[in-house]
Amino acid sequence: MNDRKLIVKIKRISGRIRREYFNDFIVDEQRGMSVLALLDEIQTGQDSSIYYDGQCGCANCGICAIKINGRPKLACKTQTADLPYEIVLEPLDFFPIVKDLAVDKSEFFNRLEQKMEAWVHRQKEFNPEKEDLMVPELADALYENERCVKCGICVSACAAASFGKFIGASGCITAHRFLQDPRNEDLGARQKLINILSSDDGLWGCHAIEACDNFCPKEIPLGRQLALARKETLKILFKEWLGLAKFWRRK
Amino acid sequence: MKIYKFDSIIVGGGLAGVRAAVEIASKGYKICLLTLLDKLIRSHSNAAQGGIQASLANTTESIGDDWRVHAYDTIKGSDWLADQDIVEEVVKLAPFLIREMDYWGAVFSRTDKGLINQRQFGGATYPRCVFASDGTGHVLMNLIESRATCLNIPVFSRRQALSLILDGVKVVGVTTLNLVNGEIEAFLGNAVILATGGAGLLYKETTNARTCFGDGMTIALETGLAQIGNPEFVQFHPTPMPPRYILATEGCRGDGGVLLNSEEKEFMWDYSSMKGNLASRDVVSRSMMREIVAGRGIEGFSTTHLWLDIKRLGYEHVATKLRDVYFLCRNFIGVDPTKEYIPVRPAQHYTMFGVKTNKRCEAYGIQGLYAIGECACWDLHGANRLGGNSLLETVASGYIAGQKILENLAKDKIQICKDGLVEDEIKRQETRIKNILGKKDGENVYRLFSEMRGIMSQNAGIFRNGQDIEIGLAALNKIFEKTANVKIDCKEIALNLELQLALRFSGMAKIALCVMKSALLRTESRGSHWRDDFPKRDDKNWLKRTLASFPIGVQEPEINYEPVKITLLPPGDRGYGEKK
Ligand SMILES: Cc1cc2nc3c(=O)[nH]c(=O)nc-3n(C[C@H](O)[C@H](O)[C@H](O)COP(=O)(O)OP(=O)(O)OC[C@H]3O[C@@H](n4cnc5c(N)ncnc54)[C@H](O)[C@@H]3O)c2cc1C
Ligand code: SF4
Ligand code: SF4
Ligand code: FES
């Protein structure tokens, strides 16, 4: 396989009046070549006007997500050896295009983080001498959702996200992470998370078809994580409802 | 011409930069963050896997640990070049900084009792590396970005800082290239903090990400006023995985993994009788290269490598405690580490050098300029950094610089600078860009860049000697001459990767020259700097810190030295039992 010649079709999009077309390149495949390395090869050797994003090279930063032969993937994690010799590269769906393969995901994620106040709201005083206890199982559970690198793949793969304000699998598990964290002590902040999760923009808008699950490059079991979030949200809502019912009965 | 004004400007949205921003913004001052990337969490700090050191002493294995032991470990690791006052201050702060991040919501791994857990790292007497599985940096970036969101700190993304705007010897702001629309902008403030991370891309084989050009160092050096501290000290990590040198964390060995040669022998005990697989990184990297040179390496993965065995830790451990390594091995090199050995070979990992500052992170030579994180050298790491100490350094220096700036902001809030100064600097940068774009023929910047990286790996790598360095220096000088004649093919100002590289390349070549020249002058072996022709440490002549500068109009760096103050621990044996 070492002497394979790859035919790479790259979608070019630039300028204020969006011109769209494909450019073809022929590249000698190298051993252990990732799609990101393939792009480097083309960019530095054949056409330096191509633009794409890449940073960590090891599936950690989430910036390099593109569509590879129609499927949303991380360019750094995808090995050319796993692909046919003809490779079509396009920008990720859903997000606004910056140029060629680069898209802007920051606006989507930043707005989401603002909206759901994605930070831990403390009320207790800070004690520099001793940390608050947390059972390891809970720390592990929080970590599972923290592993999301905001690559946007689940959002772009999701039919529900393609219209409306659905926050995507990433948004749902992030909201759940802050709901699960007992250090998030502010009741108002927790209510905000529940409201978002239990709306059409949140879990109620998810059709649970799990298109996202297959694609998450960090191998977060999104189907399971979404189900956990759903269960917890329902539990909280049920408790609220019970409380209300009791309140009315007492009246 | 876009001009933004803030109380202070932070260049760099990694852990160090954002930690400083949080400190300053929490007191109500106006601050902004500049980053090359689209979002804070993308910064390279994200890739740190292993952990962050702090002597919490809260597990049974770490009873007896305290700031003193942490300080001694750090100083020994640094081969006595570290600034001991700074070491003391930072290690004393460490438990506070960790607990504060935990309070803010960091997801650290826990002990059975629910306390913050710690793991063993090379060169540490006790297990004191606080971690979050093996995504510590990722969790901390999530955390610090959540603080920045909470404080509503403005982030200017996809910006490349190009130069400092100076009023005499005082900095009043920075110019940036807006990567998206190609505009040159100015950000003005009473203080400018450089937090642009390390310069790993100076080397061909590196674990560093694609933004680790060392921009902060180059724009400081290019003023002709700032100094680069200890440029000859570059760390090579023992266990990146070829062919692309993705890191397998030191936690692998901390948790009990071992290095093996082609005979499947645990060779590290032959080189470090006391610490074996857990000696400091410089010692392990050198020992591995010696094994390879002795013909006990294995051919494959596009190079000659050794093995790292973590399968002996069992599937359970690898799949949970070393989960990211498990993930990386399977996906990036096609190896299942629960069943097979992992191929490893040393590669560049960390730059101990950086913009030289004092204890309060204030840069030498330029008023109002601060440098923090990997971009700086206040000298916590000396000749070799201990694993887990650089994440600590990012938050500690962010905190300390933040405090210092708050102090100054409380005193004076008004910024006066000469008329036309800012406009002139913007124009200067615009002209620079026009010249590069206008050039019809000249040198290809990608070719020069890759040549330079090759020379650095070849001639200023793990093993160095006078002759090789001389050759390297001559070759670098040739490249440096050519930097004035760089031509690029893509002629756009906006969204042009080639232009972005061309703009920083001559500065990078200057840093490379600083590294090469100080490596030539230091005729001893200390920490990461190994000279075959001078294999002993020489405290009589070389217990001193290198200061490199590049005065304007000169073709070669100027090298000076400053003495090292010894307050806690006098020079002695590092206690790794390294056989040389
Ligand atoms: C693979 C790997 C694993 C590591 N593991 C550990 C570990 O386990 N423990 C540990 O202690 N240390 C570890 N380190 C080291 C540690 O991660 C880094 O030293 C540290 O994260 C550096 O942080 P920083 O904030 O200084 O810079 P970075 O996080 O690199 O951030 C730099 C920022 O500057 C911005 N920037 C750069 N240039 C410009 C410019 N011209 N204009 C505007 N913005 C700019 C970038 O966009 C980025 O936001 C590891 C390093 C690597 C490579
Ligand atoms: S959940 Fe997975 S696919 Fe979605 S943004 Fe996070 S890492 Fe990407
Ligand atoms: S399960 Fe389906 S609808 Fe729900 S987030 Fe995933 S892809 Fe979208
Ligand atoms: S480059 Fe960071 S995830 Fe691909």
Side-chain angles (χ1 to χ4, degrees), chain B residues 219-237:
Chain B
I219 65 178
L221 191 68
E222 292 211 284
T223 61
L225 301 170
Q227 315 250 15
I228 300 293
N230 290 338
E232 63 271 48
F233 295 104
V234 177
Q235 180 168 82
F236 297 84
H237 196 290

Side-chain angles (χ1 to χ4, degrees), chain A residues 31-34 36-37 40 43-45 48-63 76-79 98-99 102-106 109-110 113-114 118-136 138-140 142-151 177-178 181 183 217-221, chain B residues 37-39 41-44 46-49 56 58 95-96 99-116 132-136 138-139 142-143 145-147 149-150 152 157-158 179-180 207-212 243-244 246 300-302 323-324 327-328 330-332 444 446 489-490 492 494-498 500:
Chain A
R31 209 183 155 210
M33 194 179 215
S34 66
L36 191 59
D40 291 345
Q43 212 274 334
T44 59
S48 61
S49 69
I50 292 170
Y51 208 82
Y52 53 97
D53 280 323
Q55 156 73 348
C56 65
C58 56
N60 236 321
C61 74
I63 205 171
C76 66
K77 190 185 156 196
T78 310
Q79 312 295 316
V98 175
K99 179 183 167 184
V103 296
D104 179 28
K105 294 177 280 202
S106 64
F109 284 107
N110 290 348
E113 284 158 23
Q114 285 284 358
W119 61 86
V120 167
H121 301 59
R122 299 300 315 246
Q123 289 185 325
K124 218 179 123 186
E125 285 289 305
F126 171 48
N127 175 7
E129 300 304 319
K130 196 163 186 287
E131 63 268 29
D132 292 322
L133 299 182
M134 180 185 281
V135 290
L138 179 59
D140 293 345
L142 294 180
Y143 181 72
E144 188 62 40
N145 286 341
E146 279 263 326
R147 288 177 59 244
C148 168
V149 294
K150 316 265 158 79
C151 67
R177 176 247 176 274
F178 285 101
D181 196 329
R183 296 170 297 186
K218 294 299 282 184
E219 300 175 359
I220 302 173
Chain B
L37 300 155
D38 69 332
K39 192 167 163 49
I41 49 156
R42 316 270 189 233
S43 300
H44 185 52
N46 205 322
Q49 307 168 341
L56 299 177
N58 60 0
F96 165 85
R99 291 207 170 97
E100 183 179 57
M101 291 194 286
D102 189 62
Y103 170 81
W104 283 340
V107 184
F108 292 125
S109 296
R110 299 279 156 166
T111 66
D112 292 340
K113 293 205 183 83
L115 294 159
I116 296 175
S133 185
D134 42 15
T136 315
H138 176 68
V139 160
N142 275 348
L143 173 81
E145 180 163 24
S146 82
R147 296 316 297 166
T149 311
C150 161
N152 227 335
S157 55
R158 296 193 194 260
L179 301 181
V180 178
T207 61
N208 283 197
R210 289 150 175 264
T211 48
C212 299
R244 265 172 289 135
I246 292 169
F301 298 91
S302 310
R323 184 165 156 185
D324 275 16
F327 171 85
L328 291 171
R330 276 182 298 125
N331 287 297
F332 288 79
N444 178 305
Y446 288 122
D489 293 327
C490 178
E492 308 277 328
L495 297 163
N496 180 348
L497 291 167
E498 199 182 11
Q500 293 167 22

Side-chain angles (χ1 to χ4, degrees), chain B residues 4-283:
Chain B
Y4 299 90
K5 287 190 182 139
F6 289 90
D7 289 325
S8 313
I9 311 297
I10 301 186
V11 188
L15 198 50
V18 190
R19 181 63 189 80
V22 163
E23 197 61 30
I24 299 168
S26 64
K27 296 289 181 302
Y29 288 101
K30 273 177 63 200
I31 185 127
C32 75
L33 283 161
L34 307 177
T35 169
L36 289 170
L37 300 155
D38 69 332
K39 192 167 163 49
L40 296 179
I41 49 156
R42 316 270 189 233
S43 300
H44 185 52
S45 296
N46 205 322
Q49 307 168 341
I52 171 167
Q53 298 233 31
S55 55
L56 299 177
N58 60 0
T59 59
T60 30
E61 298 83 33
S62 66
I63 292 172
D65 196 12
D66 69 356
W67 72 265
R68 272 179 210 84
V69 191
H70 188 179
Y72 295 162
D73 287 344
T74 304
I75 296 165
K76 281 181 203 162
S78 83
D79 226 347
W80 278 271
L81 202 62
D83 184 310
Q84 302 197 358
D85 286 340
I86 287 171
V87 173
E88 180 174 342
E89 180 165 358
V90 170
V91 300
K92 277 182 174 166
L93 256 178
F96 165 85
L97 291 168
I98 295 290
R99 291 207 170 97
E100 183 179 57
M101 291 194 286
D102 189 62
Y103 170 81
W104 283 340
V107 184
F108 292 125
S109 296
R110 299 279 156 166
T111 66
D112 292 340
K113 293 205 183 83
L115 294 159
I116 296 175
N117 203 355
Q118 288 157 93
R119 65 159 54 125
Q120 183 72 48
F121 249 43
T125 309
Y126 292 99
R128 75 163 77 84
C129 220
V130 174
F131 63 100
S133 185
D134 42 15
T136 315
H138 176 68
V139 160
L140 294 181
M141 277 315 293
N142 275 348
L143 173 81
I144 209 71
E145 180 163 24
S146 82
R147 296 316 297 166
T149 311
C150 161
L151 291 164
N152 227 335
I153 297 171
V155 177
F156 292 85
S157 55
R158 296 193 194 260
R159 297 297 202 287
Q160 178 174 349
L162 294 179
S163 69
L164 297 174
I165 308 171
L166 295 178
D167 186 354
V169 293
K170 180 161 181 10
V171 65
V172 296
V174 291
T175 60
T176 60
L177 172 65
N178 180 328
L179 301 181
V180 178
N181 66 14
E183 251 180 276
I184 305 286
E185 308 159 323
F187 290 81
L188 308 181
N190 271 13
V192 172
I193 308 179
L194 298 175
T196 52
L201 294 175
L202 284 174
Y203 283 80
K204 186 160 161 241
E205 293 93 16
T206 175
T207 61
N208 283 197
R210 289 150 175 264
T211 48
C212 299
F213 295 105
D215 283 354
M217 303 179 202
T218 64
I219 65 178
L221 191 68
E222 292 211 284
T223 61
L225 301 170
Q227 315 250 15
I228 300 293
N230 290 338
E232 63 271 48
F233 295 104
V234 177
Q235 180 168 82
F236 297 84
H237 196 290
T239 58
M241 304 180 282
R244 265 172 289 135
Y245 299 95
I246 292 169
L247 190 71
T249 172
E250 186 161 319
C252 291
R253 281 170 296 131
D255 289 6
V258 299
L259 291 164
L260 303 173
N261 61 19
S262 58
E263 295 152 13
E264 297 188 41
K265 179 181 163 200
E266 254 188 71
F267 60 86
M268 267 315 296
W269 298 104
D270 298 345
Y271 296 96
S272 170
S273 52
M274 322 273 276
K275 297 247 170 177
N277 288 289
L278 282 171
S280 69
R281 288 181 180 170
D282 53 335
V283 175

Side-chain angles (χ1 to χ4, degrees), chain B residues 2 46-47 97 152 199 268 282 424 471 497 534 550 569 578:
Chain B
K2 275 224 179 69
N46 205 322
L97 291 168
N152 227 335
M268 267 315 296
D282 53 335
D424 285 354
I471 296 171
L497 291 167
F534 299 95
F550 223 111
L569 190 68
E578 185 185 14

